[in-house]
Every structure is written in structure tokens, then in C-alpha cells.
Amino acid sequence: MDIKKRAEQGNAEAQCSLGDCYHLGKGVEQDYSEIFKWYQLSAEQGDSNAQYYLGALYEEGLGVEQDYELAVDWYRKSAEQSNEYAQCALGDCYRLGDGVEQDYSTAFKWYQLSAEQGNLDAQYYLGLLYGEGAGVEQNLELAVYWYRKSAEQGNGYAQCCLGACYCLGDGVEQDDFMAFRWYQLSAEQGNSIAQCLLGDYYCSGQCVDQDYSEAFKWYQLSAEQDYSDAQLR
């Protein structure tokens, strides 16, 4: 029996899978109203993945009128079933005050649950909260710990933050070469701040052979993303 037939017969897993097909345009034309329909049917039966995706549709206003409060409701239902993506998304809502009163300590709670499951975005934000002392007592060593976890999974923002920690000696022994390494990895993923800082390294010849053309390349890439520091170089 194909997915659509099973979905029409009320199978929650098939309904979520059919929502995925419409979302990805897999075998059907992408259609947000259909995406919303099938995720909603599945979510109402308790499917945690569908609940997360339904929350995302409400947050972005795709296939339905944007509603941050309903986004939070569905993220919460999914997060309470230990969906790492919903936990991270719910952390975002509490950090930003989207659909709920801003609360850094509650953001920390959900990021931590997600980060402990290996979610690289939650790991980055957990590092950020530890670094800023927002919702938790400031702890630069734990900030570095979580930045590293995220950076090693390829998160460009975490790589840039980890580079800054090495550059400044925050929570880790100061090491310009390690700073350069993490800035480079971040810059190669398109992070405008890291691109500008990498340009500084090439311009000064610190940790790398001085190379003005390479410095210009990274400044230009950063400036094209409207990073003002690079535009002033």
C-alpha cells in the first residue's frame, strides 16, 4: 500500500511522510497547503516529527497564517517527546521572546536537553548562554566546551566563537594558531566575521605568510555580506 493510501486511512507515520514528500517536492509538486494539512493530521495523533514541522510552518507562516504562539505550542508538544530539533526551536523562542515571554533560563533548559542529544545548533547556543551568563552563571570553560562540540560538527558560528575564545584566552589557553584554524574553518563556510578576521591574519602575517591578495579576498567576501568592519578595511 502506498504512502498516500495509508495516510488517507489515518496512519500518523504515513501522514508525516506524505507531508515530507510535499515539503521536498518528492514525487509531487511542492505545496505548502498540502504540507500543512498532512503534518497537522499527523501531529494531532502525536507524531513528534510532524509536531515539530507544524511548529516551523506556523513560525514561518508557510501554508498557514504566521502564529508564533501556535508555533510554541507545537514545538512544546514535540519537545516534551524529546525531539531534539523541537527542543532547540523552543529554546530559540524563549531566547528571542517569540510567541512567549523572553526567558533565558528556560531557553537554557531546552537548549541543554537538545545539546545533550547532539544537536549542533543547541550546542552553539548553549555555549553562547554560558559565555554571556544569560540564564545561567557565566562559565567560559563550559562555553568553550559546547562551542567545541558544535564546531566539530561543522557549525560555522560556533567555529568563529571558538576562534575568538582562543584569540582572547577566554575559557582556554590563549593560542593564536588555534584561533586562526577555527576562524579559517568558519570563514570557509561563509561567516562574515570570521572572513574579516582571517583577512586580518593575512594582512598582518600573523600565524600565516603575509599575503595582501589573500587578505583582500577575505575582506571582500566579508564586505559583500555587508559586514561593516570589512568594508572599512
Side-chain angles (χ1 to χ4, degrees), residues 70-233:
L70 281 174
V72 168
D73 287 345
W74 286 109
Y75 284 148
R76 191 184 308 281
K77 287 178 187 292
S78 181
E80 288 173 349
Q81 294 194 68
S82 299
N83 184 297
E84 66 176 271
Y85 302 103
Q87 289 170 338
C88 184
L90 192 54
D92 289 341
C93 292
Y94 276 104
R95 178 175 59 87
L96 300 170
D98 286 344
V100 70
E101 187 176 346
Q102 189 178 53
D103 185 334
Y104 288 113
S105 62
T106 305
F108 177 85
K109 166 193 165 183
W110 289 111
Y111 283 142
Q112 186 173 40
L113 288 168
S114 181
E116 287 171 350
Q117 293 197 68
N119 185 284
L120 77 166
D121 292 323
Q123 290 170 340
Y124 161 66
Y125 285 116
L126 198 59
L128 205 62
L129 294 181
Y130 271 119
E132 295 177 353
V136 66
E137 185 177 350
Q138 187 179 49
N139 188 318
L140 298 179
E141 288 79 12
L142 282 174
V144 167
Y145 173 84
W146 287 109
Y147 285 148
R148 190 184 308 281
K149 288 270 190 185
S150 182
E152 288 175 347
Q153 292 195 73
N155 185 300
Y157 297 106
Q159 290 168 341
C160 186
C161 287
L162 188 55
C165 291
Y166 275 108
C167 181
L168 300 170
D170 284 347
V172 69
E173 186 176 349
Q174 201 276 340
D175 188 326
D176 287 321
F177 287 96
M178 288 297 290
F180 175 84
R181 174 198 169 195
W182 288 110
Y183 283 146
Q184 185 175 38
L185 288 170
S186 180
E188 287 170 350
Q189 292 202 66
N191 185 286
S192 62
I193 297 173
Q195 289 170 338
C196 183
L197 293 168
L198 197 62
D200 289 343
Y201 278 95
Y202 279 106
C203 190
S204 66
Q206 184 182 11
C207 301
V208 66
D209 290 338
Q210 192 174 52
D211 187 330
Y212 290 120
S213 64
E214 192 71 8
F216 177 81
K217 178 187 96 173
W218 289 110
Y219 287 145
Q220 185 174 41
L221 286 169
S222 180
E224 287 172 352
Q225 297 190 67
D226 296 322
Y227 185 59
S228 58
D229 284 5
Q231 292 170 338
L232 295 171
R233 292 296 196 269

